[in-house]
Amino acid sequence: MTTRRALLAATAAALPLSAARAQRAWPERPIRMLVGYAPGGGVDIVARLLAEPLRAALGQPVLVENRPGAGAMIAAQAVARGADDGHTLLMAAAGEIAVNPSLFKQRMTYDPARELQGVALVAAIPNVIVAHPSVPARSPAELLAYARANPGKLSFASAGIGNPQHLAGEMLNRMAGTDILHVPYRGSAPALTDVAAGRVTLNFSSLGAALPLIRDGRLHAIAVTSRERMPQLPEVPALAETPGLESYELVNWFGLFAPAAMPAANVERLHATVAAALRDRDMASKLAEQGGLIRPMSAAEFRSFVGEETRKFARIVEEADIRPEG
């Protein structure tokens, strides 16, 4: 009996140590970071920027795997329905996490709120409102005045129905009482090209894509959609600086997600690793080149942020009666 008690006591004492060793063992093999977009796009670039510091800190290769299609939902579903051990992660944009649940209610094959958990916000990606030089407006106030005096005369191009560019324009229409026509394209590049050519008057563009056209005078930058000004365009105001639009903010964002059942200790370690990478000046500079803003927040704060964004996008989709193509 004494021997049996001693054995049980020794086993119980060893359990916390074994659990700690199991936690420290993660990751035990290479990590796959899925991206729901083709190589060379913004999400893919940011994923590859982050892969190297994660590899260095975690001691395992981090392999970026592109699985484009279905509005990035193929990749998101693969992570949501995959193993919960944290060896398959998702680098996602706002669309497949916070927009699609309201835009594709009947088509969603995964539940981001229930099957995925946010690990870290990597970058907020504001849009810059750019106009063809023929538009007689150089400031947000002038743009709104012209739009109100000329209903239906202005149009804005976007990368497609329901993407953050489209939602940014619809949010402006709702808050400012304007009637700027939405013209959807299949991709951001042709949308911006047609604005530069004068076939459409406005675009809510990513900064990285628009900056060369702004600098050579082919487009005028009127405002940014973040609450703060962008360091690359310090003279360009935020829409929120305009009277009546103080609460306006709509940005795209890129974040790292894991399966919902990934152990909390591993999530915290991964979050801390990402946060350390984002504090590196070289990383911050490279993200800035993509038009990204770093907004430090804990994993819990990021999950709260995602919830708020999901509700914001749902309101815009409902109020503007946005319906997907097909």
Side-chain angles (χ1 to χ4, degrees):
M1 183 64 69
T2 303
T3 302
R4 183 169 179 270
R5 286 175 179 168
L7 179 60
L8 289 172
T11 301
L15 284 176
L17 181 60
S18 298
R21 284 175 177 166
Q23 293 292 347
R24 284 200 302 269
W26 179 86
E28 300 174 288
R29 58 183 184 276
I31 293 173
R32 293 186 304 150
M33 189 189 301
L34 270 57
V35 173
Y37 303 89
V43 181
D44 177 70
I45 290 171
V46 170
R48 294 179 190 280
L49 286 175
L50 193 60
E52 175 53 29
L54 291 187
R55 180 207 63 77
L58 300 176
Q60 289 285 354
V62 178
L63 310 174
V64 176
E65 183 177 320
N66 299 89
R67 291 196 190 179
M73 291 191 286
I74 293 173
Q77 177 184 298
V79 176
R81 300 291 174 82
D84 60 8
D85 58 5
H87 289 87
T88 302
L89 305 172
L90 176 71
M91 179 63 74
E96 57 270 34
I97 300 296
V99 177
N100 289 355
S102 56
L103 188 65
F104 297 105
K105 291 180 180 179
Q106 307 305 319
R107 302 184 196 176
M108 292 288 289
T109 56
Y110 63 97
D111 183 347
R114 187 171 57 84
E115 297 179 288
L116 293 168
Q117 61 175 315
V119 176
L121 176 66
V122 180
I125 314 291
N127 289 316
V128 55
I129 302 176
V130 291
H132 186 265
S134 63
V135 176
R138 297 295 181 269
S139 70
E142 290 177 354
L143 178 67
L144 297 183
Y146 183 81
R148 290 165 180 154
N150 299 273
K153 190 168 184 178
L154 293 178
S155 56
F156 73 96
S158 83
I161 292 175
N163 74 84
Q165 294 178 350
H166 178 198
L167 299 183
E170 295 295 355
M171 186 174 177
L172 178 62
N173 275 334
R174 288 288 175 278
M175 292 182 67
T178 52
D179 182 22
I180 304 174
L181 176 68
H182 174 231
V183 182
Y185 283 75
R186 293 190 179 278
S188 57
L192 191 60
T193 297
D194 268 13
V195 176
R199 286 183 279 271
V200 187
T201 53
L202 302 171
N203 185 225
F204 290 73
S205 173
S206 65
L207 181 65
L211 204 54
L213 297 171
I214 295 169
R215 286 174 173 163
D216 69 12
R218 295 176 63 191
L219 293 173
H220 290 301
I222 292 177
V224 295
T225 63
S226 53
R227 61 176 177 258
E228 65 268 68
R229 295 191 180 199
M230 295 292 289
Q232 301 91 336
L233 294 171
E235 73 286 356
V236 177
L239 269 179
E241 296 176 38
T242 306
L245 298 179
E246 291 85 357
S247 63
Y248 185 100
E249 181 180 43
L250 195 143
V251 300
N252 195 3
W253 43 262
F254 302 158
L256 189 63
F257 290 80
M262 181 176 174
N266 295 347
V267 172
E268 288 302 321
R269 183 184 177 196
L270 183 57
H271 171 83
T273 303
V274 174
L278 296 178
R279 288 192 294 269
D280 179 78
R281 288 186 178 181
D282 184 54
M283 173 66 77
S285 175
K286 290 176 180 176
L287 287 175
E289 291 174 5
Q290 302 302 315
L293 298 171
I294 296 175
R295 292 180 174 174
M297 57 180 70
S298 67
E301 289 170 336
F302 178 47
R303 289 190 282 273
S304 177
F305 168 81
V306 171
E308 292 169 0
E309 289 287 283
T310 302
R311 291 186 289 273
K312 175 195 288 186
F313 291 135
R315 286 194 300 271
I316 299 170
V317 169
E318 181 180 359
E319 291 173 1
D321 193 24
I322 298 172
R323 301 182 184 184
E325 295 176 289

